[in-house]
Amino acid sequence: MFLAAAVFLLSAPASASQGDKEPVYRDCVKQCVRTNCTGARLRGFQSSQPPYMALTGWTCRDDCRYQCMWTTVGLYQAEGYSVPQFHGKWPFARFLCFEEPASALASLLNGLACLLMLLRYRSAVPRQSPMYHTITAFSLVSLNAWFWSTVFHTRDTYLTEKMDYFCASAVILYSIYLCCVRTLGLRRPAISSMVGVLLILAFTSHVSYLTFVSFDYGYNMAANATIGMINLLWWLCWCWLNRRILPYWWKCGMVVLLLHGLALLELLDFPPLFWVLDAHAVWHLSTVPVHFLFYSFLIDDSLHLLNTEKPGVKLD
């Protein structure tokens, strides 16, 4: 529901940054490609490249950009200047094939936490619970988003970037549907069905625009932020209205506030500590424990709905 709803705060990559605009960097890349990425030297590079690097799509040119990035960083530091960004990102020390090791690990941990708690939810809640299938579907959408987040932070390519953004948007929109089903759809299924259709249309239009018209990072962030804010206010209103009825309401409110508060870590935007840990990775790591509180709320609420789903009993 909420755990990937903060994904809209991903820093938007820029087409060019201070580091990759530097003549020394550009000249270094050109010279490296000309020297190492043709003929016998290219074949030598390919034959000596570890299989995991080849499988994740690292090319000779990519390796040149990586080496020249560190050459440029060294020159900046030697002159006493602050560390620059390259292609919209801070410089990260590559580990095996992982381009951003800490963020990739954090995304993987979020996915594993989501999977673990989904399994716990399915073992604790009978299938007859009114929200069972909706929550299961949402969890699968979230797992897909964390998978692509892990892939994207492992290897940033045109495809992995788009999949990371699109899958994050899918989670945000599905979280609205989940909220609608829980607050309105149990008593008025037609409303949640209409909202579901509208959200599918919105997602299709969003992806189509970003794919076929313009991949506008500003628009993507604004669209997801708007949906995220609607989700935030909707759930907080529901929590407030049910605070005297449902003893576990505070779990829902805490999850919402924690996730939106933790997302502010993105604003720190500092150069990576030890060239590995940046603000984005810290944010992703901080959301891992929230999964456990989130699913604790879902289990409590699903069991409550199951016990109150009787003739003449109002579904809160």
Side-chain angles (χ1 to χ4, degrees):
M1 175 173 58
F2 313 105
L3 287 173
V7 174
F8 66 83
L9 288 174
L10 283 166
S11 298
S15 57
S17 301
Q18 181 63 38
D20 57 90
K21 288 190 293 186
E22 286 290 346
V24 64
Y25 171 80
R26 296 191 173 192
D27 292 342
C28 176
V29 172
K30 289 179 182 178
Q31 180 63 30
C32 178
V33 170
R34 187 162 44 243
T35 304
N36 300 303
C37 299
T38 57
R41 285 183 176 270
L42 175 60
R43 290 190 294 272
F45 170 82
Q46 293 171 336
S47 63
S48 62
Q49 187 182 35
Y52 56 80
M53 295 292 285
L55 287 173
T56 49
W58 284 95
T59 65
C60 180
R61 182 178 181 83
D62 293 330
D63 202 61
C64 283
R65 290 173 61 176
Y66 180 76
Q67 300 300 333
C68 291
M69 175 185 72
W70 289 115
T71 299
T72 307
V73 168
L75 292 173
Y76 262 73
Q77 291 183 314
E79 296 294 329
Y81 295 112
S82 58
V83 175
Q85 291 190 343
F86 294 80
H87 305 284
K89 292 185 175 185
W90 294 111
F92 291 94
R94 189 173 63 195
F95 175 71
L96 300 178
C97 60
F98 295 93
E99 196 168 351
E100 298 176 45
S103 290
L105 175 61
S107 296
L108 177 62
L109 291 176
N110 274 281
L112 291 175
C114 183
L115 176 61
L116 174 65
M117 295 309 295
L118 170 61
L119 296 175
R120 183 174 298 178
Y121 175 87
R122 289 170 64 91
S123 65
V125 178
R127 297 171 63 89
Q128 294 76 20
S129 181
M131 291 294 295
Y132 181 91
H133 297 291
T134 305
I135 290 172
T136 298
F138 173 78
S139 299
L140 295 176
V141 173
S142 297
L143 283 170
N144 180 62
W146 285 120
F147 168 78
W148 282 107
S149 178
T150 303
V151 172
F152 170 63
H153 291 304
T154 299
R155 185 72 175 95
D156 181 357
T157 67
Y158 177 85
L159 174 63
T160 60
E161 180 188 38
K162 301 303 178 286
M163 291 303 296
D164 179 47
Y165 276 79
F166 294 160
C167 292
S169 296
V171 176
I172 298 171
L173 290 170
Y174 200 102
S175 68
I176 288 287
Y177 177 72
L178 181 67
C179 181
C180 179
V181 172
R182 178 59 186 92
T183 58
L184 299 174
L186 295 179
R187 286 172 290 176
R188 301 179 182 87
I191 294 180
S192 60
S193 297
M194 288 188 293
V195 170
V197 171
L198 290 175
L199 291 174
I200 291 173
L201 292 175
F203 179 72
T204 303
S205 299
H206 181 69
V207 171
S208 297
Y209 175 79
L210 292 175
T211 302
F212 302 113
V213 180
S214 171
F215 198 89
D216 187 330
Y217 293 103
Y219 155 75
N220 182 68
M221 186 179 297
N224 288 323
T226 300
I227 298 298
M229 188 57 61
I230 293 173
N231 195 42
L232 166 70
L233 296 175
W234 196 338
W235 276 108
L236 286 181
C237 287
W238 179 84
C239 290
W240 179 259
L241 293 174
N242 287 278
R243 68 191 187 282
R244 300 184 188 279
I245 304 172
L246 305 176
Y248 53 82
W249 69 271
W250 63 271
K251 297 180 182 181
C252 174
M254 185 66 71
V255 168
V256 176
L257 295 176
L258 272 175
L259 286 172
H260 286 76
L262 291 171
L264 296 177
L265 291 170
E266 279 280 88
L267 301 179
L268 298 177
D269 198 28
F270 51 83
L273 300 175
F274 308 108
W275 306 116
V276 172
L277 191 67
D278 69 332
H280 186 75
V282 171
W283 167 50
H284 270 338
L285 286 169
S286 70
T287 63
V288 174
V290 187
H291 287 273
F292 299 95
L293 182 60
F294 169 46
Y295 276 89
S296 176
F297 159 72
L298 292 179
I299 291 172
D300 289 345
D301 192 52
S302 294
L303 293 176
H304 166 77
L305 291 173
L306 183 65
N307 293 330
T308 56
E309 192 185 28
K310 300 174 183 178
V313 176
K314 176 184 175 182
L315 289 175
D316 300 309

